[in-house]
Amino acid sequence: MSPNAEAYRALLLDHAAGASSPARQLLVETHLRLRPSARDLADALDVAGGALLERLEPEPVAARLHGAESARAPSGAPVDVLRDARALVEAALHSPAHLNWRWRAPAMREVRLPAPGATLLRLAGGRAAPKHGHAGEEVTLVLRGAYADETGRYAPGDIAFADAELDHSPYVPDGEECVCLVVTDGALRFHSLLARVANRWLA
Ligand code: ZN
């Protein structure tokens, strides 16, 4: 399995297990809307995730769920956070010009979402983002347009992963601008145990 496929499966599995941060939850649910064919895998992992939770020792599961709970409610109002973030993603999908974009870099604008770690990015056609590395994992979902980097080309509904091992400078082909939902983990990491165990179990 390629690193991207592994990261993708871990992302969906954590989502199925309810262990995702609000930002990742938002990214996965938007991905599944844009790419209905991904639902088959998501549904399969949903079943696997349920079976897995039953097999794990009670203590780690309790600790994990506690961790996910506190991550889900950094402001004490997870439902509001997700509702407001969803509304902004919806606007980015259909009428990005109406959002209040702020300067992030030359040719790049951003809207920070209320879900911690989630940002909307807008890069003009024919322009490149500055080359950068990553402290944690960066997960990018294309909402409109397309971009490419050293790892491939990404179109609406596609998810790209970047981590500490990748330095890249995404660029947008001439023509249409690209709008993405980007989730960065920063110091927090929301997956590992469940995803690692499941990857072995499902292999
Ligand atoms: Zn990056």
Side-chain angles (χ1 to χ4, degrees):
M1 194 171 8
S2 72
N4 256 17
E6 196 172 334
Y8 179 65
R9 205 161 74 168
L11 181 75
L12 290 188
L13 186 60
D14 277 346
H15 183 75
S20 297
S21 66
R24 283 173 175 245
Q25 195 178 329
L26 179 69
L27 185 141
V28 172
E29 68 183 32
T30 307
H31 166 65
L32 294 176
R33 278 176 53 209
L34 294 174
R35 194 61 58 77
S37 59
R39 282 204 173 277
D40 289 345
L41 176 58
D43 288 346
L45 290 173
D46 195 16
V47 173
L52 194 64
L53 283 174
E54 286 172 12
R55 286 176 177 215
L56 288 175
E57 298 287 328
E59 198 176 356
V61 171
R64 180 175 179 78
L65 291 179
H66 175 74
E69 207 56 48
S70 56
R72 193 177 298 154
S75 65
V79 175
D80 288 349
V81 162
L82 267 178
R83 187 192 58 206
D84 293 348
R86 280 189 187 113
L88 290 165
V89 168
E90 199 62 25
L93 277 167
H94 301 294
S95 49
H98 293 147
L99 286 171
N100 184 22
W101 297 93
R102 294 176 186 277
W103 191 93
R104 167 83 176 259
M108 184 189 281
R109 302 289 181 269
E110 74 169 347
V111 173
R112 293 201 180 171
L113 299 180
T119 307
L120 295 168
L121 282 182
R122 186 184 191 192
L123 193 60
R127 302 293 295 270
K131 187 160 186 158
H132 60 274
H134 312 85
E137 190 172 46
E138 174 190 82
V139 188
T140 302
L141 169 67
V142 179
L143 301 178
R144 295 169 64 96
Y147 81 89
D149 67 5
E150 293 80 345
T151 65
R153 181 184 183 279
Y154 302 92
D158 287 343
I159 294 179
F161 297 87
D163 60 20
E165 293 179 10
L166 177 70
D167 282 358
H168 67 164
S169 63
Y171 66 93
V172 177
D174 283 339
E176 193 184 358
E177 66 177 6
C178 184
V179 179
C180 295
L181 168 58
V182 181
V183 173
T184 47
D185 281 349
L188 296 176
R189 294 192 66 82
F190 293 96
H191 58 82
S192 61
L193 171 66
L194 192 58
R196 279 205 308 269
V197 172
N199 277 335
R200 264 208 311 273
W201 187 56
L202 293 168

